[in-house]
Amino acid sequence: MTVIDDLIEALGTDVVLTGDAIGGRYRSDASGTGRFLPLAVLRPASTEQVSAALAICDRNRQPVVPMGGLTGLAGGANARARDIAISLERMSGVEDVDTAAGTMTVLAGTPLEVAQLVAETAGFLLPIDLGARGSCQIGGNISTNAGGIRVIRHGVTRDNVLGVEAVLADGTVLSSLNRMTKNNTGYDLRQLFIGSEGTLGIVTRAVLRLRPLPAARLTALCAIESYAHVVSLLKSAQRGLSGLSAFEAMWQSYFRFNAEALNLTFFDKAYPFFVIIEQDVDGSDEDKDRFEAFLGQAFDDGIVTDALVAQSEKEARAFWSVREGHMMDHLLPGLINLDVSLPVGQLDDFAGDCEKAMLARFPAAHVSFFGHVGDSNLHVAVWTETPSEHEIDAIAYDLVRTYQGSISAEHGIGTLKRDFLDHSRSEAEIGVMRRIKTALDPNGIMNPGKVIPPR
Ligand SMILES: Cc1cc2nc3c(=O)[nH]c(=O)nc-3n(C[C@H](O)[C@H](O)[C@H](O)COP(=O)(O)OP(=O)(O)OC[C@H]3O[C@@H](n4cnc5c(N)ncnc54)[C@H](O)[C@@H]3O)c2cc1C
């Protein structure tokens, strides 16, 4: 009997897809770097089925790749032809909203947006939020420790996960579905599965922290003359705007490209920097007055040169459409989007050095910068006529190492950044990662080849 026969016998053919039943979408995550369809795709409907599947695979030394919504940008969910994929797509749904505690218990395959809407209906905000919300899954968000646009106010995914249920490589179900903020009872096992990109187990359920739902959100687009002024605006917004929920900066070339592509004009000239500021508020008239007074003060102080306050949801969407940059992805096929982290004060120095280094190697490259500046997270968008991802990565990550930054702020390591992990992590740290991996997955079946570089 083959491992596939074992799996079919235990789980049935509706769970185990093979051959032509495997659709092309299982080939790659959103990085577009996946090349193979897996040997089989398992679509379990319960934790018990995940456990049975992993126990069989472990006995047979069969490598498995967990798949969430496949929106990852680091190649973490890509399978090789000999791997078996375990997709969480049928384990979807919110099981419970605890309104007293402000928590929700969610199955790992639940799309983020579905969980957000259930939270909203119950009068809460699920603060994890990112552009891929319609397709990415809670299990994928946990496994990548996703960041996104609300981190400045509510932290990364790690800060919003109270408990996790996960299945280990040998099929052991580890239920750490804690619901309390305080729980100092030994090792915090949920942390093993947050950000480990499916290399230590499969997340099947989670308890998420909810926040009060803001009544309204105020949004402004600011034009700024220098990076020093961007930092000053950030500092004064952190001091003066309670409920600051986004602070997103765009360097001129990024802003101009996307605004022109969308046929949107906001200001009479192209300033060096543009910042979207958002504040969550109660919804009173005074909130708007205070927001405008804050911007007026920044203008008087010479920090902001011009600013537009969105008068409607539609206007706010227009600001965000430039920031989200979908037109750039569309018009520059093969665009490489790097995701790095550096001390806030150094983001622009890094951007200048990075652009110089890219242009020295690729004189016709289009290089632009944007990011969650409030979280010291810079995205570098690089397009060249002859895309050479490894070379572009090496230029950027060598520079990140010089700046003592992180080669991955929020997208994770997957396969694409694996060979650069030592640019941001010491030998001792990578050594401990290997020891944890061996302890939890002695046969090395969980998402092999991802995150941890080979010896
Ligand atoms: C348009 C767009 C915008 C994005 N914006 C952001 C952003 O602002 N911030 C950000 O951080 N990311 C962003 N991303 C990246 C991506 O959406 C996140 O990494 C997301 O968390 C991945 O979730 P997923 O369900 O699609 O996971 P997948 O891509 O399916 O998987 C990602 C990794 O997690 C593992 N995995 C998935 N599910 C499980 C599970 N249940 N148990 C164990 N391991 C699992 C996979 O093996 C893989 O290693 C964006 C992507 C796109 C396409």
Side-chain angles (χ1 to χ4, degrees):
M1 281 242 296
T2 65
V3 62
I4 303 285
D5 295 332
D6 273 359
L7 288 164
I8 291 175
E9 190 177 293
L11 302 167
T13 46
D14 62 325
V15 172
V16 185
L17 305 183
T18 54
D20 290 346
I22 301 174
R25 70 190 190 85
Y26 296 107
R27 192 182 305 276
S28 183
D29 68 6
S31 71
T33 54
R35 296 287 168 263
F36 306 102
L37 286 179
L39 183 65
V41 175
L42 312 186
R43 298 185 308 148
S46 66
T47 302
E48 292 68 33
Q49 288 191 339
V50 174
S51 168
L54 282 177
I56 292 170
C57 290
D58 198 45
R59 271 203 305 278
N60 288 278
R61 308 289 189 267
Q62 168 61 51
V64 300
V65 178
M67 287 187 175
L70 293 172
T71 69
L73 294 169
N78 293 345
R80 301 164 302 181
R82 62 178 184 281
D83 295 335
I84 288 182
I86 301 189
S87 168
L88 277 290
E89 65 202 48
R90 288 168 77 193
M91 291 183 59
S92 174
V94 173
E95 294 188 317
D96 172 57
V97 178
D98 182 336
T99 53
T103 63
M104 75 193 316
T105 306
V106 185
L107 290 171
T110 310
L112 172 59
E113 194 167 36
V114 170
Q116 288 174 331
L117 289 174
V118 172
E120 258 180 62
T121 307
F124 287 94
L125 174 77
L126 171 59
I128 305 166
D129 193 22
L130 40 142
R133 64 183 75 75
S135 309
C136 64
Q137 299 175 359
I138 295 297
N141 300 147
I142 291 173
S143 305
T144 56
N145 185 27
I149 52 181
R150 304 282 162 222
V151 172
I152 193 167
R153 179 145 164 78
H154 299 292
V156 291
T157 295
R158 190 184 297 288
D159 300 308
N160 295 291
V161 176
L162 287 171
V164 163
E165 176 190 83
V167 184
L168 302 183
D170 65 0
T172 303
V173 177
L174 186 69
S175 185
S176 267
L177 287 171
N178 165 65
R179 290 160 171 259
M180 287 88 66
T181 302
K182 291 187 168 180
N183 185 349
N184 275 352
T185 47
Y187 297 172
D188 190 349
L189 298 175
R190 84 194 130 151
Q191 299 296 350
L192 290 170
F193 304 97
I194 305 177
S196 52
E197 300 178 53
T199 58
L200 299 180
I202 295 190
V203 176
T204 45
R205 260 191 188 83
V207 179
L208 304 175
R209 190 196 294 272
L210 302 176
R211 319 278 171 157
L213 189 64
R217 198 161 261 164
L218 299 170
T219 312
L221 176 67
C222 304
I224 299 178
E225 292 286 0
S226 74
Y227 187 70
H229 287 145
V230 173
V231 176
S232 300
L233 185 63
L234 172 64
K235 297 293 136 204
S236 44
Q238 283 170 327
R239 264 196 315 271
L241 292 179
S242 64
L244 176 68
S245 59
F247 190 98
E248 300 283 313
M250 293 163 272
W251 275 242
Q252 187 192 83
S253 62
Y254 181 85
F255 184 88
R256 203 167 49 190
F257 186 101
N258 286 293
E260 281 175 14
L262 289 162
N263 217 4
L264 291 170
T265 307
F266 298 104
F267 302 105
D268 54 2
K269 69 175 244 214
Y271 291 89
F273 297 91
F274 298 88
V275 168
I276 295 177
I277 293 189
E278 259 183 12
Q279 184 189 18
D280 289 348
V281 291
D282 295 340
S284 66
D285 287 346
E286 296 84 62
D287 288 330
K288 194 153 182 240
D289 294 345
R290 276 196 290 268
F291 189 62
E292 288 181 353
F294 167 82
L295 292 169
Q297 186 62 51
F299 182 79
D300 292 345
D301 293 342
I303 296 172
V304 165
T305 309
D306 206 345
L308 297 169
V309 177
Q311 302 301 323
S312 63
E313 181 88 24
K314 191 171 163 216
E315 282 184 23
R317 278 300 323 143
F319 299 166
W320 279 108
S321 64
V322 179
R323 161 63 184 82
E324 282 165 3
H326 297 306
M327 289 306 284
M328 192 172 235
D329 287 323
H330 181 64
L331 295 172
L332 299 178
L335 185 77
I336 293 170
N337 183 353
L338 306 173
D339 156 51
V340 302
S341 203
L342 304 139
V344 171
Q346 293 180 299
L347 291 182
D348 190 47
D349 293 340
F350 174 87
D353 287 347
C354 186
E355 183 167 16
K356 222 183 292 163
M358 293 289 175
L359 292 178
R361 172 64 188 86
F362 302 103
H366 188 282
V367 188
S368 60
F369 302 90
F370 62 104
H372 317 288
V373 163
D375 320 321
S376 49
N377 179 184
L378 187 71
H379 291 299
V380 186
V382 186
W383 181 85
T384 59
E385 269 179 44
T386 47
S388 165
E389 175 130 19
H390 196 79
E391 240 183 305
I392 287 168
D393 289 353
I395 293 169
Y397 300 151
D398 284 352
L399 212 51
V400 169
R401 175 159 57 183
T402 315
Y403 276 79
Q404 297 184 330
S406 164
I407 59 162
S408 176
E410 56 178 12
H411 293 166
I413 297 296
T415 48
L416 298 186
K417 298 188 179 190
R418 188 194 67 177
D419 296 341
F420 298 98
L421 188 65
D422 68 353
H423 285 39
S424 294
R425 292 303 197 103
S426 67
E427 210 182 305
E429 286 176 303
I430 295 171
V432 172
M433 289 185 203
R434 285 203 178 97
R435 281 152 66 183
I436 294 172
K437 168 82 177 160
T438 307
L440 266 65
D441 177 21
N443 296 322
I445 66 156
M446 290 302 314
N447 219 359
K450 313 291 168 56
V451 183
I452 304 175
R455 282 175 202 279

